[in-house]
Amino acid sequence: MGATPEPRDGTAVPTDEPVGGPGGGPTAGPARSSTRDGHRPPTARLHVQRVRPAYRQVADELRAQIMRGALPAGTRLPAESELTGMFGVSRSTVREALRVLASQHLIDTRRGVQGGSFVAAPDPARLVEDVGGALGVLVATPQLGMADLLEARLLLEPAAARLAAQRAAPETIEALRAAAAAPRDPRDPSGFVEHMDFHTTVLMATGNLMITMMGQPVGDVLRTRLNRHVVAAEHWAEVDACHATITEHIARGEAAQAEEAMRSHLLDLRDIYGRPGAWKSD
């Protein structure tokens, strides 16, 4: 392991000098010869680019070793003082790198005589929760809007319904039927939570963890940002009927019909979600 040594403050030192700068060394671009009118031609200025902070380099190296299995789950990392010597960086840099890994749930820190930093097995549920939280923040910014999430969902879930029809086992089909027919919570007449659980079950029925992880955070944002009271009760009844139809297509292995039924369902939902006041502003 070996990250680039750092200056005392832990950051790379940028320079605005051209490559080869002062001192008579070579310069980038055309030679500095004068033209007939006495003016020098323009010279390209190439700047030394700022490198990544040292703590990120340390975190990247440790993360790479964890992901390829060189540091398996349960392994205790060397003490901070050892990591400092191994990477040639300050202790504060090592601590910041460990904080990054902890925030990604790749290590757990324990206190006490037998404590230290230990490699943790990645937990998909925690990762999905983190992505959902990040999306919830992003949809409140100009960079990402609800329309973007709905469009992504329209691309993902019809394909998931097709795969589910091709792959779903009998117990999975029973789970889908149970989710489609789940009774509504009296505290939420819209049945929105049950509706989102159905969509999550379809994602899981693909047997593809990546598809499930991609779709669930979108559902989490919809679950928390939609003003359910603006949607009329009859629309929720239509949603229930659509879920039942999609379920039966999947149960009969009708991949194309399941895909088209899910697409039609999501287009209807997008129209409902596009109504004024449908989304919470904070």
Side-chain angles (χ1 to χ4, degrees):
M1 295 186 292
T4 305
E6 60 171 9
R8 291 184 180 180
D9 63 358
T11 59
V13 179
T15 175
D16 287 332
E17 291 294 337
V19 174
T27 58
R32 289 177 174 267
S33 58
S34 298
T35 59
R36 290 183 180 180
D37 60 4
H39 294 289
R40 289 180 176 176
T43 301
R45 290 173 58 84
L46 300 179
H47 300 276
V48 175
Q49 293 188 358
R50 183 186 297 272
V51 300
R52 289 173 301 138
Y55 77 89
R56 290 198 174 275
Q57 297 181 56
V58 174
D60 288 348
E61 175 62 24
L62 290 172
R63 184 189 304 106
Q65 294 203 29
I66 292 171
M67 299 310 295
R68 67 171 178 259
L71 292 172
T75 300
R76 180 177 180 174
L77 296 182
E80 289 181 2
S81 57
E82 294 179 63
L83 291 172
T84 295
M86 293 165 67
F87 284 100
V89 296
S90 68
R91 179 166 287 195
S92 63
T93 295
V94 168
R95 288 176 179 169
E96 189 62 29
L98 295 179
R99 277 195 287 269
V100 170
L101 296 177
S103 71
Q104 297 169 346
H105 310 302
L106 291 175
I107 64 171
D108 291 322
T109 301
R110 307 172 194 169
R111 299 187 180 278
V113 177
Q114 301 298 321
S117 295
F118 294 82
V119 177
D123 183 349
R126 295 176 72 182
L127 296 175
V128 168
E129 183 179 349
D130 286 350
V131 174
L135 284 177
V137 173
L138 280 175
V139 294
T141 71
Q143 285 74 29
L144 180 68
M146 293 305 305
D148 298 315
L149 266 68
L150 296 176
E151 184 175 60
R153 189 186 188 198
L154 188 58
L155 292 172
L156 180 65
E157 291 197 29
R162 170 181 281 274
L163 281 177
Q166 294 170 340
R167 300 175 176 178
E171 59 270 21
T172 305
I173 292 170
E174 288 307 309
L176 278 168
R177 284 177 170 150
R184 300 185 184 182
D185 187 332
R187 295 168 295 181
D188 179 18
S190 72
F192 188 78
V193 172
E194 290 75 21
H195 293 154
M196 292 309 305
D197 287 346
F198 170 79
H199 285 268
T200 299
T201 305
V202 172
L203 294 170
M204 295 173 66
T206 66
N208 186 312
L209 179 60
M210 179 58 70
I211 290 177
T212 303
M213 293 182 65
M214 290 168 64
Q216 277 189 248
V218 176
D220 290 341
V221 173
L222 297 176
R223 197 188 303 260
T224 57
R225 298 299 298 275
L226 180 67
N227 280 322
R228 304 169 201 172
H229 67 275
V230 305
V231 182
E234 58 267 23
H235 290 303
W236 296 123
E238 293 172 5
V239 168
D240 289 336
C242 288
H243 288 180
T245 299
I246 293 167
T247 297
E248 291 312 307
H249 284 313
I250 293 174
R252 292 194 291 265
E254 298 169 347
Q257 293 92 325
E259 180 177 20
E260 185 54 38
M262 179 64 83
R263 180 176 293 107
S264 177
H265 172 50
L266 294 177
L267 287 170
D268 289 342
L269 287 178
R270 191 167 67 172
D271 290 341
I272 294 173
Y273 293 163
R275 295 176 181 178
W279 301 107
K280 299 175 183 177
S281 58
D282 51 20

